[in-house]
Amino acid sequence: MEGNLNALTTVFTEFYYWATIPLMFFIHIGFCMYEVGASRRRNHLHTLMKNTMLIPLVTITFFFFGWWLYWAMPNGPFITGGLDTAAAEANTAWSETMGPNTGDRITGVFWAAFLLFSWTAASIVSGSVIERIKSGAFWVLAVVIGSVAWIIDAAWGWHYGGWMVQLLGYHDAYASGVIHAIAGGFALGVLVVLGPRLGKFAKDGSPRDITPHNPWLVCLGLFMIYAGFWGFYVACNVPIIDPGGIGGQITGDTWTATTIYLTPTTLGAITVNFLMSLSGGLLVGYLASKGNPFWTYSGGLAGIITASAGNDLYHPIHAMIIGGLGTYCAYKLHYWVEQKFKIDDAVGAVAVHGYAGFIGLVICGFVLWGHPSSPYEGFATINPLGQFVGAIIMFFVLGFVPGWIVAKILAAMNLLRIPRQVELLGLDFASNREEQAAAADVRATEKAAV
Amino acid sequence: MATTGIESWAVDLKDIGAIYPFQGAEGLFVLAGVVLWLGWHFIQIRAENEEYDGIISRHGDDASINEALEGE
């Protein structure tokens, strides 16, 4: 690090990304709370373990190969160039910069910030498949979405040199598509193969409401996700960089925060827009669901997710309206898809993340039409067609299709769905029996001591 | 000889890079990690299937299932 200003910038950037990581931990805590709250009593422990154990599995695989994919794949490969092995070299699992290294203070925290996004992508899928998927199958799927599919989409559309940014003008500053649409699409692909929980649909095809056993836990979990979402937003920015460091078309020497595309924005802008899109989602979620707490909280989340693609640039009123619009569409689509295609999405994750993310990308193409997608010369500007094609790539190509294929393979090997009897008895049946036997034994001992 | 290659901090930090032990063997560490990861999946999937088979063999009859559902 040469010079005090460079040293200060580097250490500040290191601390900045580090601070986002404990904040984003709250997203995972929230997902666990909401998933366990939505499951029935007989499935609590397995539901909790299913989500928790994606943490180590996605972490180690993201270390082994996920991070390398991000740096190697921005060109496709073979769309705007080959594999970028030069950029990827310092990000291989065996690179010296992946361990403690006095010459590199950023790789570790940057890796970890991306990793927490990976957990989020896998965790979104986790909620929708509760109470009937085998844990082992889910963990394979978690590695596919968390350490392969989403990070390829990030290389393509969430990288300053990604081919989607260059050719399509794709803009997705806070991950409407690269996290939410892909995870929702992936979940839908798995759900199509997995099928609904026993009893979800009546013989005439009408859906039954399998209510959360603990609405408090569900709502507090969603509230907790809001808290963690602050870290997610902040981690999407480069906190401070000078135009010389960007090396693009920006002139002068005014330092700025930027998006992942190195396009200027401010922390102030995204803070206001986060709150306004949250508010738009909550207001509409409440009205659309007639005050249902689960859908009101989910509406807040859907509001943020819908506006996220352009929340670096939207006026706060845009953010509010777009958040509300996406929430309304996601809510309506959830019940339409459930009724029409008999899809049992236990927590509405496909709607809140997938449909809201998809819609948010498309809206962004219209509202930010013509704005430069990059500080570099020769990149396409943001446009509706590019955003629509981007949304298709995120939701279907990298989301639905891999989810469906891997679920099909697991189903063919009889590894996907738990046996019917176990689903009826409950995943925690054995441990619950042991617990009851232990409690009876203690009671008998206590009575004998009277 | 220290395992980290650092014998003393009487150095200019800009001349130092990695400071973890056993530098040069990173490929082996990663290989070991990948083997552990894949092994974990195999062991877990087998154990999970055995767990379900055991539950079904002991409690998979209609009476046990009805009893469990009534207790829900």
Side-chain angles (χ1 to χ4, degrees), chain A residues 49-136:
Chain A
M49 284 298 99
K50 176 172 64 62
N51 196 318
T52 301
M53 290 307 293
L54 75 83
I55 292 177
L57 290 163
V58 173
T59 298
I60 62 175
T61 51
F62 196 73
F63 185 88
F64 295 150
F65 49 75
W67 190 228
W68 180 86
L69 288 172
Y70 179 69
W71 292 100
M73 305 265 299
N75 299 325
F78 314 122
I79 298 173
T80 54
L83 273 181
D84 193 349
T85 49
E89 192 180 346
N91 300 286
T92 54
W94 49 86
S95 164
E96 285 194 352
T97 49
M98 295 297 282
N101 190 314
T102 59
D104 182 345
R105 294 166 191 277
I106 302 300
T107 298
V109 286
F110 207 40
W111 172 85
F114 271 68
L115 169 67
L116 271 286
F117 297 165
S118 302
W119 293 3
T120 298
S123 206
I124 289 166
V125 178
S126 179
S128 58
V129 297
I130 56 171
E131 301 196 305
R132 76 278 208 198
I133 197 168
K134 285 185 176 176
S135 297

Side-chain angles (χ1 to χ4, degrees), chain A residues 40-42 46 57 60-61 64 93-94 96 100-102 134-136 139 415 418-419 424-425 427 429 433, chain B residues 13 16-20 26 30 33-34 37 40-41 44-45 48-49 51-52 55-56 59 65 68-69 72:
Chain A
R40 286 165 287 186
R41 291 183 191 282
R42 61 188 192 227
H46 273 73
L57 290 163
I60 62 175
T61 51
F64 295 150
W94 49 86
E96 285 194 352
N101 190 314
T102 59
K134 285 185 176 176
S135 297
W139 291 326
L415 294 177
I418 60 174
L424 291 168
L425 287 165
L427 283 158
F429 183 78
R433 274 286 170 103
Chain B
L13 289 179
I16 302 289
I19 53 173
Y20 52 82
E26 293 88 351
V30 174
V34 170
W37 161 52
W40 190 92
H41 278 292
Q44 185 279 324
I45 286 171
E48 186 176 10
N49 286 339
E51 178 193 348
Y52 296 147
I55 291 172
I56 292 168
H59 308 287
I65 291 173
L69 287 171
E72 171 75 353

